[in-house]
Amino acid sequence: MRPKVQTFVADGPLPEWDASEEEIERRVEQLEAIPKPVTGEEACALVACFGPDDCYGVAWTLLHLIETGSAPVLTTDPGPHSNEWHQRLYNRAVNGGLIP
């Protein structure tokens, strides 16, 4: 795994909506520094970085980065109690015809 991905993953999930502006900006900068496309291993690690909300749209950036990987990360339905972003990734892969 590349160092920039390791750094982002090591910092854990994206912060909630009430995080400081500095914290959100720091995570955005980390995310934007990751070169595309990501590897399958990196995409799997990045899936754990979704937080409880959309973090002012940063979660969409993370989702799009994960989708640059060569294959869908979530190939089975994560279930109704999963993180909304995990469900969204799975649904987009199904709707895109990438998984049955």
Side-chain angles (χ1 to χ4, degrees), residues 57-77:
V58 181
W60 280 107
T61 304
L62 176 58
L63 180 137
H64 293 304
L65 178 63
I66 291 168
E67 289 180 331
T68 67
S70 60
V73 175
L74 301 175
T75 57
T76 59
D77 190 337

Side-chain angles (χ1 to χ4, degrees), residues 9-38:
V9 171
D11 278 354
L14 292 173
E16 295 184 51
W17 65 270
D18 61 350
S20 70
E21 196 173 316
E22 293 79 18
E23 174 65 9
I24 293 171
E25 184 59 32
R26 184 180 69 77
R27 296 307 302 274
V28 167
E29 289 173 4
Q30 286 178 326
L31 192 57
E32 290 176 344
I34 299 172
K36 298 172 186 98
V38 295

